[in-house]
Amino acid sequence: KDLAGRTAFVTGGANGIGLGLARALLAEGCKVAIADIREDSIAAALKTLDNQDVIGVPLDVASRAGFAAAADEVEARLGPVSLLFNNAGINLFQTIDESSYDDWDWVMGVNLNGVINGVMTFVPRMKARGAGGHVVNTASMASFLCGPAPGIYNTAKFAVRGLSESLRYSLAPHGIGVSVLCPGLVKSHIYASDEIRPDGLKAGARPVDSAGVERLREVHEFGMEPDVIAARVIEAIRANRYYIFSHPEFRDELREVFDDILAAFRDYPEDPGFQQRTGFEKFR
Ligand code: NAI
């Protein structure tokens, strides 16, 4: 796919992976809109990128109306969006049994509904124009591998993977590719997610553990550079590859998960007449 001249919409584009994507897309000759809830970060990103083909648009991806308005504004200024990056995300390191409804609403609202809103806003426009395109949804290795603590995050990221895979089959006939980005640790700002928790969802929040946030900040310093991730994404879009992995060190853990799943089938016998009776062959 030649990306030059296309318009890209990158959520969470003002920091971390999204900013890396914006930089890589500009280098490919795309026009780029960075949509982000942090307006100060948008201003800083525009300054760093220093390119006339990029604009910023304030957006809370959890807002359906906000998404539609941002899409209208960007398409009026940069032309039809045919590259969509649903990348904005937050983290909350907390177990499910210690979480409140406000925690669920916050994390699912951004990390899952944000992706749903991007798809619901842009996919009909992309289909109607018939000019193809590509959607990249940022999931995580946490869309395969669970720990106790990021319980809601795991839930949202698994769902983003399900959404992406199903969408991939339904959009293939329209020449619109779909990829799911599953990084491990990346150098980013995600440790500071508490800063942007909406006031309306703070009542059910546990007190911010500043020492924990500081530890996370230090850990993220060791993460992969967003520009490296972005280069893999560009490559995958060109080749229309679905899975985008950046951290091969997780391969063995992933294999353990799949081995566990297959082993759990044990040697139960199959129902021999099932296919004939139901006409059901395969999911995909
Ligand atoms: P980041 O915090 O550096 O960048 C995320 C951007 O999204 C920020 O600029 C933030 O202001 C924005 N954002 C947050 N909530 C938003 C909302 N409601 N509406 C609009 N913008 C919003 O973090 P990072 O790491 O670059 O995150 C990008 C994606 O990568 C997220 O989906 C995250 O879950 C995922 N990811 C990150 C990993 C890491 O180690 N940093 C690993 C795997 C996945």
Side-chain angles (χ1 to χ4, degrees):
K1 268 181 204 170
D2 190 9
L3 305 184
R6 288 188 178 266
T7 299
F9 189 97
V10 185
T11 71
N15 284 296
I17 296 173
L19 182 53
L21 288 170
R23 192 179 288 114
L25 289 161
L26 288 167
E28 291 295 320
C30 296
K31 287 171 272 176
V32 180
I34 52 177
D36 206 288
I37 201 168
R38 283 187 170 97
E39 299 196 31
D40 53 340
S41 294
I42 292 181
L46 293 179
K47 207 166 163 200
T48 313
L49 293 169
D50 187 25
N51 189 308
Q52 61 187 21
D53 287 331
V54 61
I55 63 170
V57 52
L59 170 66
D60 178 352
V61 294
S63 158
R64 293 175 181 176
F67 225 118
D72 289 344
E73 184 193 330
V74 166
E75 294 199 321
R77 292 174 65 189
L78 296 183
V81 169
S82 61
L83 300 173
L84 170 64
F85 298 83
N86 288 309
N87 166 79
I90 47 158
N91 209 342
L92 178 66
F93 282 91
Q94 213 169 267
T95 62
I96 286 175
D97 54 290
E98 290 180 329
S99 295
S100 66
Y101 277 126
D102 279 349
D103 294 328
W104 279 101
D105 289 346
W106 182 40
V107 180
M108 296 302 276
V110 179
N111 290 7
L112 176 59
N113 294 347
V115 178
I116 294 172
N117 295 342
V119 167
M120 294 297 282
T121 304
F122 280 111
V123 165
R125 299 179 191 219
M126 285 161 75
K127 266 171 69 175
R129 288 169 186 142
H134 207 97
V135 179
V136 178
N137 296 327
T138 304
S140 169
M141 279 315 300
S143 73
F144 291 93
L145 304 173
C146 287
I152 307 180
Y153 187 85
N154 276 139
T155 307
K157 294 298 187 180
F158 269 60
V160 167
R161 188 156 68 81
L163 179 159
S164 304
E165 198 167 329
S166 182
L167 189 67
R168 170 198 184 199
Y169 298 124
S170 71
L171 294 186
H174 301 278
I176 303 171
V178 178
S179 302
V180 66
L181 171 60
C182 302
L185 192 71
V186 183
K187 202 181 239 184
S188 86
H189 226 74
I190 199 158
Y191 61 85
S193 296
D194 288 311
E195 284 174 11
I196 47 171
R197 182 168 178 141
D199 287 340
L201 296 176
K202 279 183 178 157
R206 296 163 72 83
V208 176
D209 162 19
S210 348
V213 172
E214 179 52 23
R215 269 199 308 281
L216 277 179
R217 191 191 63 74
E218 286 168 12
V219 168
H220 280 88
E221 280 297 304
F222 296 112
M224 190 175 270
E225 288 291 342
D227 289 344
V228 178
I229 306 274
R232 307 257 157 98
V233 173
I234 300 289
E235 215 180 273
I237 296 174
R238 280 234 174 72
N240 195 14
R241 275 203 305 271
Y242 174 65
Y243 288 116
I244 313 175
F245 289 109
S246 49
H247 290 64
E249 53 271 39
F250 288 100
R251 196 178 296 170
D252 288 344
E253 211 175 331
L254 205 55
R255 187 176 287 122
E256 278 174 29
V257 170
F258 289 125
D259 285 349
D260 277 353
I261 293 171
L262 293 176
F265 281 92
R266 310 184 77 82
D267 46 6
Y268 299 136
E270 282 180 37
D271 170 355
F274 181 74
Q275 268 186 26
Q276 288 91 317
R277 285 199 313 273
T278 59
F280 185 85
E281 287 181 34
K282 285 176 87 189
F283 266 106
R284 47 182 193 171

